[in-house]
Amino acid sequence: MFSKPKILLSWLALLLCFASLFLSSWIILPAPNMFLLTLAVGAPEVSPWLLLLNLLSLSLAFFYIRRRKLQRFACIFSLIGLLICAWVLVNIPLTQVQMTKAMKQGLGANYLEQIPVQVRAKMQTHPFDLVNSFRGIALAKTRHQKDILFASPAGVALKMEVYQPSEVGKYPAVVVIYGGAWQYGNPHANSEFNQYIAHQGYTVFAIAYRHAPKYRFPAQLDDVRTALNFIRKHAAEYEADPERMVLIGRSAGAHLAMLAAYQPDAPPIRGVVSYYGPVNLTEGYKTPPNPDPINTRAVLKAFLGGSLEELPNQYKIASPINYLTHPLPPTLLIYGSRDHLVEARFGRQMYERLHKSGNTAVFLEIPWAEHAFDAVFNGVSNQLALYYTERFLAWALFKQ
């Protein structure tokens, strides 16, 4: 006879084995809806934690589950979870090698030598640090200003946040544009990233724009261009150098960053960083991902005001890939192989078109990453993305 505490421990161990496998499975399973997308985004980023959870559940199953069949099932659950998590961690070194190679191919084999030593000294020393996965990436003190009004189109108050290094000076400008399917979001998004970049020696401007479906394209692009003009006009006030500027965007924000930088009359921009940004809205509408948790066609209809059949020219005008007819700023494209909102094939297509048109571009692909992988700031994917992003920024803005 088993005592009640032992029976309870046995069932708890079984439950933990199932839960750890369920969470780990979203590292490889595609999410069919937005609710499960959160798990698919987060699971690979916290895979070191899930690895420990699977080890714990395996130990508990081995020691506390006495019924052989249940113990066997529980141990199998935990072992499968362990293998899934290990797949991410084992692939990190190879991914680092591929990313390093891609950076050198795009920017030149000696691109790091063009970055001043004092700038390189502040950067992350390794693309991935397991310790940082558990304790977090250290954030130093910076100055932060909120609710800076830069425009009021149609009576909508558009505000920005500014992050500055702790010491007064004159710094290159990094303009950050949030994602959210062009329908939601705010400048406070990804504040950890903004604070980190500011400490590296940049003035970071996190800007807002009007949202669809109430305000349709090109309202969002107009707002970004207005923000850029405001930043250039008030650069001295915020200790920014208007002649050294890079745009960084995520998802819908990356789309706007590319569009703004690629306009023939764009202000001087030294580079663009696109985290999983849409580049070809026409093809995106024709061939949505499968599964399609965000309902891509509905999102594009809300943004542009109708379907591809109704507004083919709008889809063309709103696609950054159609602006590669003149010299463009260097572009860093970072995508996840498992992205089911903006598939990596579009980033690869953009890279190939940029390369063929004679423009400088780098394409980085993270095998296990879903859309919005950098939502976990100290996650596996964001550590890699951050490592190469800060090198691209330094090369674009400080190169000698």
Side-chain angles (χ1 to χ4, degrees), residues 6 44 53 89 114 122 129 135 160 197 219 267 289 379 393 395:
K6 287 184 177 180
L53 182 62
L89 300 179
Q114 300 175 47
K122 290 184 176 182
D129 187 332
R135 74 178 180 190
M160 65 172 63
I197 294 298
L393 289 177
W395 173 84

Side-chain angles (χ1 to χ4, degrees), residues 118-347:
Q118 64 271 24
V119 176
R120 274 185 281 166
K122 290 184 176 182
M123 297 178 182
Q124 295 288 325
T125 56
H126 297 90
F128 174 72
D129 187 332
L130 185 60
V131 174
N132 284 348
S133 294
F134 295 105
R135 74 178 180 190
I137 298 172
L139 295 174
K141 184 179 180 181
T142 57
R143 291 174 288 161
H144 182 201
Q145 301 180 56
K146 299 180 181 180
D147 299 326
I148 300 169
L149 182 70
F150 68 87
S152 300
V156 178
L158 296 178
K159 298 178 181 180
M160 65 172 63
E161 296 191 9
V162 178
Y163 298 76
Q164 298 164 290
S166 57
E167 296 182 3
V168 174
K170 185 178 182 180
Y171 303 99
V174 174
V175 181
V176 179
I177 310 171
Y178 58 83
W182 302 283
Q183 296 181 28
Y184 53 87
N186 62 75
H188 192 65
N190 302 101
S191 58
E192 290 176 307
F193 173 88
N194 297 338
Q195 184 179 344
Y196 176 89
I197 294 298
H199 177 67
Q200 301 301 101
Y202 305 93
T203 296
V204 178
F205 299 88
I207 66 173
Y209 54 87
R210 284 171 290 174
H211 296 158
K214 184 175 182 180
Y215 300 98
R216 292 169 177 165
F217 179 82
Q220 295 76 16
L221 176 58
D222 292 341
D223 295 343
V224 172
R225 286 163 61 85
T226 298
L228 296 180
N229 290 333
F230 177 92
I231 291 167
R232 288 181 58 80
K233 184 177 179 180
H234 297 271
E237 183 180 344
Y238 297 106
E239 303 168 21
D241 184 348
E243 303 306 315
R244 291 190 293 164
M245 180 185 295
V246 163
L247 308 187
I248 296 180
R250 294 171 175 84
S251 194
H255 163 266
L256 296 174
M258 287 183 282
L259 269 186
Y262 294 170
Q263 297 300 309
D265 61 344
I269 293 171
R270 296 281 191 92
V272 187
V273 180
S274 167
Y275 279 37
Y276 41 85
V279 299
N280 191 334
L281 275 56
T282 300
E283 287 302 313
Y285 189 93
K286 286 180 179 178
T287 57
N290 183 27
D292 183 11
I294 202 173
N295 192 346
T296 299
R297 288 177 175 171
V299 169
L300 290 173
K301 285 180 183 178
F303 176 50
L304 296 170
S307 68
L308 176 62
E309 293 76 18
E310 295 168 325
L311 302 168
N313 199 47
Q314 278 292 86
Y315 279 75
K316 182 179 179 180
I317 293 171
S319 296
I321 203 165
N322 293 324
Y323 289 82
L324 313 186
T325 57
H326 56 281
L328 300 173
T331 303
L332 174 63
L333 305 153
I334 308 179
Y335 290 75
S337 300
R338 295 180 56 253
D339 195 324
H340 288 86
L341 271 64
V342 181
E343 294 174 290
R345 63 189 173 98
F346 289 112

